[in-house]
């Protein structure tokens, strides 16, 4: 594993020089800055790096006479030299081409050696323009983005150069670059300098500095003399000194800000799900940026360290997928551009009684992708909790009208123990009493919550564990050879394994109904209980629960006749699947409901919907649910909404996110995680790619599950890995049993990266994205093994 390391040291200023186009004078500008830096900071070293260069060897910047002649004290290096004078991706054809990771690793290796020498400057010059491809074909703007180097942009002084320069600047900003200054050669004919100076000052607050145009090319000796005189003049120019002092101040300000953010946040931020009395400034992770699966975080304990080569930032694997939202990589340029496109086209527009293309196209995409014959309507909201509240409002209204209950009737929810559906009042009332709500003054749990069998890998075997409270009715734990067998619902039904579940559910439900309780919906997270403890639920139990509820209209209301035989209409009670966490490929499929072999009447989705970029939620409903709100009285409508309903930016990003993940599935990009050697007893003997699979390998689960001194069990599905630690203080959200393992992951590896993770009491979970690379999974698995051995 070689995650991309950001290039930030306290004593070494690393600047990346981009050009708005090819042949705009990047090397000349860089030479001016190198010479001036040497003159001003005489006791510091100055270096020049060209990661990729094209053209004959004698023209390479580190071998040619230019840098050596005109900045002789500057260390010069070119990492890759291709002999054809063309774009690097074309020049590299037929020759060895390093991967992007390998090229960036070599670049960092050179920079880290320079940093170890002490204070100094390093100018990294790119090839061609901002979007000129690197050797692999990745454009430079994307290739180098994770390095987070502040940028010096060299403008194009020629005709058309204003447009090219502004376009280059915007391309860099869209990818998270900080453009610190813009340099341009003065040209009396086109006078791009003045326009660019005014434009960037007024629109972006970025300073523009200008140099005299270099002398025209002459024969070798005359050219050397002319350029020497030119550099003498420009190097002593006060504007040149101002540029460097500005860059130096920006560098120090960035370091100072990063080092003070933890303390500032501790004083001013009220964090979610945080007991502030138990936190400190040092416990706050300072994130400078994020790219792919990694944060770039401040190295703990390095504050004020200016005399060593220790970097200020390190890569941290985003092990919680940023609270389960991240799916396509941080800083995904396609998602960013989609957001910018919608912001530019729409901004935000009113939605009630109106429509825009992103909202309609996304609704069509989701309804088609769900392959649920019941779902026909899409209601937009802003987050999963709100989406669940909408779903509950829909279901309760439909049930009340069908069964003739009054508007003031106390109607409850049927759910699962530990199920948690969000932090807003209505969603919280749908959950059983728990640490999340037990101290909330206005909590009023309204429902009945079934205990359920859960699934874990223990000592290399898949076990369906029966909680003690239901063992008498359901029997002892059951062992399976593979997770695929557990998820083979139809095979297990053919063996009547569901009968005991159905009898237990019917008996429990009848008990509550006989006591006068009324219920308006079944609400559950299919397959995985997320915030309630990262529990993998026996899918056969959930299927049985749905079936019993749908067949229980006579139990719910003795005077009610048979339900409408319409196969797309709801029966018994509306069934709500909360797929906020588990849906949209988190478990490896478009919808988690497909594991249960049944369909929801209402389905809620968020988190992965936008690939982790912006908040958005959808509540999908059947036509029969929709019709329950039709009336001649406006007050009977679903009177719910928020100002940013169907925000065009969110909808457009979600469209792009869905396009990407569906295309990835179509191309078989996860097939590496579906093979028999990788899946082992996850997929079973058949090796079918249609069965359950995970990016986390079977050999890791087998190893972890045999750490029986500290581990109670583990499981993996899709991009989720959950490790349930044995807890002397009791399993549950208040447990501290997983903190030591979490701390080991945060300590990281010898290669200078770590894993940022979250725990749910005694459960540590790690979540990849839909783009997590196999080699990254292997490295994290090895780190986990080492941490558990020492646990």
């Amino acid at each position: 594993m070689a995650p991309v390391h950001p290039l930030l040291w306290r004593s070494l200023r690393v600047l990346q020089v981009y050009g708005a186009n090819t042949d705009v004078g990047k090397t000349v500008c860089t030479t001016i800055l190198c010479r001036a830096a040497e003159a001003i900071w005489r006791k510091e070293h100055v270096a020049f790096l060209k990661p990729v260069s094209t053209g004959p060897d004698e023209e390479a910047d580190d071998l040619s006479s230019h840098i050596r002649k005109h900045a002789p004290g500057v260390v010069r290096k070119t990492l890759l030299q291709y002999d054809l004078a063309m774009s690097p991706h074309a020049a590299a054809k037929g020759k060895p081409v390093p991967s992007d990771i390998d090229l960036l690793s070599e670049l960092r290796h050179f920079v880290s050696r320079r940093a170890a020498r002490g204070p100094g400057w390093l100018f990294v010059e790119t090839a061609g323009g901002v979007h000129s491809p690197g050797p692999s074909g990745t454009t430079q703007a994307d290739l180098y983005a994770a390095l987070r180097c502040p940028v010096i942009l060299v403008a194009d002084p020629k005709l058309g150069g204003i447009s090219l320069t502004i376009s280059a600047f915007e391309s860099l900003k869209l990818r998270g670059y900080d453009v610190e200054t813009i340099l341009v050669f003065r040209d009396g004919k086109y006078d791009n300098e003045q326009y660019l100076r005014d434009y960037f000052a007024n629109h972006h607050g970025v300073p523009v500095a200008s140099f005299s145009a270099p002398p025209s090319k002459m024969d070798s000796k005359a050219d050397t003399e002319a350029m020497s005189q030119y550099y003498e003049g420009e190097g002593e120019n006060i504007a040149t000194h101002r540029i460097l002092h500005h860059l130096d101040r920006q560098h120090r300000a960035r370091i100072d800000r990063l080092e003070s953010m933890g303390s500032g946040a501790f004083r001013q931020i009220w964090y979610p799900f945080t007991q502030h009395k138990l936190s400190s400034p040092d416990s706050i992770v300072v994130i400078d940026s994020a790219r792919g699966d990694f944060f770039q975080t401040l190295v703990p304990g390095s504050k004020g360290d200016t005399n060593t080569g220790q970097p200020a930032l390190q890569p941290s694997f985003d092990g919680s997928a940023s609270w389960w939202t991240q799916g396509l990589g941080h800083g995904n340029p396609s998602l960013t551009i989609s957001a910018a496109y919608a912001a530019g086209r729409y901004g935000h527009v009113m939605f009630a009684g109106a429509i825009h293309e992103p909202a309609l196209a996304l609704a069509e995409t989701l309804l088609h992708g769900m392959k649920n014959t019941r779902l026909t309507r899409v209601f937009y909201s802003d987050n999963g909790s709100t989406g669940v509240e909408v779903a509950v409002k829909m279901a309760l209204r439909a049930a009340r009208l069908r069964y003739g209950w009054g508007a003031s009737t106390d109607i409850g929810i049927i759910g699962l123990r530990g199920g948690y559906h969000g932090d807003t009042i209505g969603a919280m009332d749908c959950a059983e009493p728990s640490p999340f709500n037990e101290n909330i003054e206005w909590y009023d749990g309204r429902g009945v919550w079934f205990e359920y069998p859960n699934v874990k890998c223990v000592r290399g075997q898949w076990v369906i564990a029966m909680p003690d409270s239901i063992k008498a009715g359901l029997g002892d734990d059951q062992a399976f050879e593979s997770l695929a067998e557990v998820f083979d619902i139809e095979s297990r039904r053919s063996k009547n394994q569901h009968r005991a579940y159905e009898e237990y559910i019917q008996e429990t439900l009848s008990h509550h109904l006989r006591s006068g309780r009324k219920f308006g919906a079944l609400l559950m997270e299919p397959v995985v209980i997320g915030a309630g403890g990262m529990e993998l639920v026996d899918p056969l139990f959930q299927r049985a629960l749905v079936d019993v509820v749908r067949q229980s209209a006579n139990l719910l209301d003795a005077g009610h006749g048979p339900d409408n035989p319409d196969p797309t209409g709801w029966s018994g009670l509306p069934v709500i699947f909360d797929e906020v966490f588990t849906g949209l490929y988190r478990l490896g499929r478009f919808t988690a409901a497909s594991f249960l072999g049944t369909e929801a009447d209402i389905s809620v989705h968020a988190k992965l919907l936008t690939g982790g970029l912006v908040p958005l939620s959808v509540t999908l409903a059947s036509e029969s649910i929709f019709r329950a709100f039709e009336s001649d009285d406006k007050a009977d409508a679903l009177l719910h909404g928020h100002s940013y309903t169907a925000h065009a930016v969110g909808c457009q990003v979600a469209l792009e996110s869905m396009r990407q993940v569906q295309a990835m599935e179509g191309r078989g990009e996860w097939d590496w995680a579906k093979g028999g050697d990788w899946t082992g007893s996850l997929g079973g003997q058949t090796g079918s790619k249609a069965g359950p699979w995970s990016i986390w390998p079977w050999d890791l689960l087998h190893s972890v599950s045999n750490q029986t001194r500290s581990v109670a069990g583990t499981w993996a599905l899709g991009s989720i890995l959950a490790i349930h630690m044995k807890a002397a203080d009791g399993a549950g959200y208040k447990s501290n049993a997983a903190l030591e393992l979490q701390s080991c992951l945060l300590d990281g590896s010898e290669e200078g990266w770590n894993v940022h993770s979250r725990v749910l009491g005694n459960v540590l979970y790690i979540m990849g994205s839909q783009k997590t690379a196999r080699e990254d999974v292997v490295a994290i698995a090895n780190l986990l093994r080492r941490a558990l051995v020492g646990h």
Side-chain angles (χ1 to χ4, degrees):
M1 179 180 185
V4 179
H5 290 251
L7 302 183
L8 182 65
W9 282 261
R10 287 168 176 78
S11 59
L12 180 66
R13 306 91 151 170
V14 184
L15 287 307
Q16 193 160 22
V17 182
Y18 269 106
N21 199 357
T22 191
D23 196 29
V24 294
K26 294 189 299 293
T27 301
V28 173
C29 287
T30 306
T31 304
I32 293 172
L33 297 178
C34 284
R35 286 170 56 97
E38 279 191 299
I40 299 170
W41 287 271
R42 295 182 181 276
K43 295 183 179 180
E44 300 186 10
H45 63 91
V46 180
F48 171 88
L49 175 64
K50 186 87 169 180
V52 182
S53 182
T54 60
D57 284 349
E58 62 271 15
E59 294 181 11
D61 292 305
D62 63 330
L63 300 177
S64 68
S65 61
H66 194 90
I67 295 288
R68 185 170 61 250
K69 285 182 180 178
H70 301 297
V74 172
V75 174
R76 307 165 302 280
K77 179 68 175 178
T78 296
L79 299 181
L80 284 176
Q81 174 67 35
Y82 295 104
D83 57 6
L84 297 177
M86 57 178 61
S87 175
H89 78 291
K93 286 182 179 177
K95 300 178 177 63
V97 177
S99 69
D100 291 345
I101 290 291
D102 287 343
L103 175 59
L104 295 176
S105 296
E106 189 175 353
L107 191 158
R108 180 183 183 269
H109 186 58
F110 175 82
V111 178
S112 62
R113 292 201 309 270
R114 301 310 306 169
R117 294 177 62 88
W121 293 77
L122 172 62
F123 297 91
V124 182
E125 184 184 309
T126 59
V130 164
H131 284 299
S132 293
S136 72
T138 303
T139 71
Q140 292 180 117
D142 292 326
L143 173 61
Y144 298 124
L147 301 179
R148 277 287 290 153
C149 294
V151 167
I152 300 167
L153 177 61
V154 180
D156 189 338
K158 301 183 291 294
L159 182 64
I162 290 174
S163 176
L164 285 170
T165 302
I166 294 173
S167 295
F169 175 87
E170 291 179 349
S171 290
L172 293 169
K173 293 293 284 186
L174 278 172
R175 287 161 175 80
Y177 286 88
D178 294 324
V179 179
E180 299 292 4
T181 192
I182 295 169
L183 306 181
V184 62
F185 292 114
R186 290 187 286 274
D187 185 309
K189 182 176 181 181
Y190 300 115
D191 197 23
N192 291 358
E193 172 207 353
Q194 190 56 52
Y195 184 89
L196 293 173
R197 191 185 299 275
D198 294 341
Y199 178 87
F200 283 105
N202 294 333
H203 289 84
H204 301 286
V206 176
V208 175
S210 62
F211 297 135
S212 301
S216 301
K217 219 47 168 150
M218 295 176 272
D219 63 75
S220 180
K221 183 178 180 180
D223 184 70
T224 299
E225 292 176 356
M227 289 303 298
S228 294
Q229 292 177 8
Y230 171 78
Y231 284 129
E232 286 289 339
E234 293 301 321
E236 295 174 1
N237 189 331
I238 191 171
T240 305
H241 289 214
R242 284 175 178 165
I243 294 166
L244 287 170
H245 283 296
H246 167 72
L247 295 172
D248 180 54
R249 285 192 301 272
Q250 292 295 98
H251 173 79
R252 286 187 281 111
R254 180 184 178 191
I255 295 290
D256 291 344
R257 180 63 171 172
L258 285 168
E259 291 180 341
S260 66
M261 285 176 68
S263 296
F266 185 75
R267 292 192 305 270
Q268 299 176 10
I269 301 297
W270 192 335
Y271 282 107
F273 291 95
T274 300
Q275 177 46 264
H276 281 256
K277 190 172 183 179
L278 304 178
S279 66
S280 68
D282 292 339
S283 68
I284 296 171
V285 177
V286 177
I287 301 175
D288 175 75
S289 61
R291 193 77 176 180
D293 285 330
F294 290 85
F295 302 141
Q296 309 290 13
T297 62
L298 186 68
V299 176
S302 60
K303 183 176 179 180
D305 185 359
T306 59
N307 297 318
T308 72
Q310 183 182 23
L313 298 174
Q314 66 181 348
S316 297
F317 184 83
D318 179 6
S320 70
S322 285
W323 258 349
W324 317 347
T325 64
Q326 205 275 105
L328 293 172
H330 295 286
N332 183 300
S334 296
L335 298 185
T336 306
I337 290 170
S338 293
Y341 166 75
R345 179 176 174 182
Y346 299 101
H348 171 60
V349 295
M350 177 68 184
F351 191 66
I355 192 62
H356 51 73
E357 175 60 26
L360 181 58
L362 178 59
E364 293 167 343
T365 298
L366 291 171
L367 291 173
H368 180 264
M370 289 293 293
K371 295 181 171 54
N372 180 333
T373 56
R374 297 170 182 261
L375 303 178
T376 61
R377 300 283 175 165
V378 177
F379 190 97
Y380 285 102
S381 57
D382 57 339
N383 63 72
S385 180
T386 307
V388 168
E389 294 234 1
V390 170
V392 171
K393 288 182 178 181
M394 291 175 175
L396 297 188
R397 173 70 61 81
R400 181 174 69 81
L401 292 181
R402 177 170 294 185
Y403 293 117
W405 301 328
S408 61
T409 302
D410 185 12
I411 307 174
I413 292 292
I414 299 171
L416 297 179
R417 296 285 303 272
Y420 193 73
H421 307 282
D423 309 323
T424 52
I425 296 175
M428 193 171 279
D429 283 353
C430 293
E432 67 166 337
S434 72
F436 293 116
N437 54 39
E438 63 185 9
N439 290 328
I440 303 301
E441 290 73 13
W442 32 254
Y443 168 70
D444 181 20
R446 302 167 66 184
V448 56
W449 299 278
F450 281 86
E451 191 65 89
Y452 56 86
N454 61 70
V455 183
K456 292 185 181 70
C457 183
V458 181
R459 293 187 178 90
Q461 198 169 39
W462 291 97
V463 176
I464 297 180
M466 302 294 171
D468 291 339
S469 61
I470 58 175
K471 267 189 177 180
L474 298 182
D476 294 329
D477 299 349
Q478 302 175 49
F480 291 78
E481 290 298 319
S482 71
L483 189 61
E485 290 183 29
V486 175
F487 276 82
D488 191 345
I489 299 290
E490 297 311 317
S491 174
R492 293 178 64 191
R493 283 174 58 84
S494 70
K495 300 171 185 175
N496 291 322
Q497 293 179 11
H498 62 298
R499 295 298 185 194
Y501 288 164
E502 290 183 348
E503 289 172 7
Y504 157 66
I505 293 165
Q506 286 176 338
E507 181 180 334
T508 305
L509 189 57
S510 296
H511 167 75
H512 288 289
L513 292 170
R514 284 195 300 269
S515 66
R517 299 288 300 274
K518 286 183 168 51
F519 301 103
L522 167 62
L523 168 62
M524 66 180 184
E525 300 163 89
V527 184
V528 176
I529 302 291
M534 211 57 76
E535 294 280 4
L536 184 62
V537 185
D538 182 1
L540 183 62
F541 180 86
Q542 290 192 317
R543 169 66 177 273
L545 183 55
V546 172
D547 289 347
V548 170
V549 166
R550 283 191 166 146
Q551 296 162 10
S552 299
N554 61 322
L555 291 175
L556 295 163
D557 187 342
H560 183 76
D563 281 323
N564 190 324
D566 178 6
T568 64
W570 65 272
S571 60
L573 290 177
V575 173
I576 306 170
F577 283 170
D578 173 358
E579 294 200 34
V580 169
F581 166 42
T582 59
L584 304 178
Y585 295 100
R586 181 58 74 197
L587 303 184
R589 297 184 178 183
F590 192 96
T591 170
S594 64
F595 285 108
L596 307 184
T598 191
E599 297 177 332
D601 301 299
I602 305 171
S603 187
V604 189
H605 301 264
K607 295 197 183 290
L608 277 178
L609 180 59
T610 64
L613 187 60
V614 291
L616 186 70
S617 180
V618 291
T619 303
L620 313 181
S622 69
E623 199 68 13
S624 62
I625 297 292
F626 174 77
R627 297 296 176 194
F629 289 82
E630 289 188 332
S631 164
D632 293 331
D633 187 346
K634 183 177 180 180
D636 289 333
L638 179 53
L639 301 180
H640 187 110
H642 65 110
S643 301
Y644 285 88
T645 296
H647 188 221
V649 172
C651 292
Q652 189 70 48
V653 170
L655 261 179
E656 176 61 19
S657 176
M658 292 300 97
R659 185 194 69 79
Q660 285 195 34
V661 290
Q662 288 180 303
M664 290 173 69
E665 182 180 39
R667 292 192 297 265
E669 291 194 20
W670 305 313
D671 286 354
W672 61 268
K674 298 179 181 181
D677 291 342
W678 186 270
T679 61
S681 83
L682 268 169
Q685 301 272 329
T686 63
S688 170
K689 292 179 180 179
W693 61 273
S694 176
I695 65 170
W696 303 100
W698 164 243
D699 63 356
L700 172 64
L701 268 70
H702 187 272
S703 172
V704 171
S705 72
N706 278 287
Q707 298 288 329
T708 54
R709 184 175 63 86
S710 57
V711 175
T714 184
W715 62 266
L717 187 61
S719 57
I720 308 170
L721 169 68
I723 302 174
H724 292 248
M725 308 300 292
K726 289 183 175 177
D729 57 353
Y733 187 73
K734 294 182 180 180
S735 172
N736 294 319
L739 293 181
E740 184 179 343
L741 180 57
Q742 181 189 38
S743 179
C744 289
L745 296 179
L746 197 59
D747 288 342
S749 74
E750 295 177 355
E751 291 80 28
W753 58 272
N754 66 3
V755 175
H756 179 275
S757 61
R758 299 282 298 181
V759 299
L760 287 165
N762 66 305
V763 181
L764 180 134
Y765 64 89
I766 302 179
M767 207 172 296
S769 72
Q770 279 45 60
K771 287 199 166 186
T772 299
R774 178 173 182 160
E775 53 268 28
D776 290 348
V777 172
V778 170
I780 295 167
N782 290 335
L783 184 62
L784 264 171
R785 288 190 186 95
R786 292 195 296 270
L788 282 168
V789 167
H791 192 273

